[in-house]
Amino acid sequence: MMPDLGKYAETVLSSYAASIALLVALVVFSILRGRKVRAEMEKIEQRMSRNG
């Protein structure tokens, strides 16, 4: 199933690993940022509803 990469196997596999790690990090940071923004928006909405 895995193609024979020859002498470049280490380079190619490490590039794949780095790419996957960066994609996972971007997803995690996006989710965390979204939660933070949503919480801030809820606070603002509560403040606005109290003030009128």
Side-chain angles (χ1 to χ4, degrees), residues 7 9 12 16 42 52:
K7 65 180 181 177
V12 171
Y16 280 142
E42 287 176 2

Side-chain angles (χ1 to χ4, degrees), residues 22 24-35:
L22 288 172
V24 169
L26 283 172
V27 169
V28 168
F29 288 133
S30 295
I31 290 171
L32 293 176
R33 176 73 174 150
R35 288 180 182 173

Side-chain angles (χ1 to χ4, degrees), residues 1-2 4-6 8 14-16 18 21 23 26-27 29 32-34 42 44-45 47 49 51-52:
M1 183 163 178
M2 177 87 163
D4 183 25
L5 300 173
Y8 301 108
S14 64
S15 296
Y16 280 142
L23 286 171
L26 283 172
V27 169
F29 288 133
L32 293 176
R33 176 73 174 150
E42 287 176 2
I44 292 170
E45 288 177 358
R47 196 172 28 191
S49 66
N51 292 338

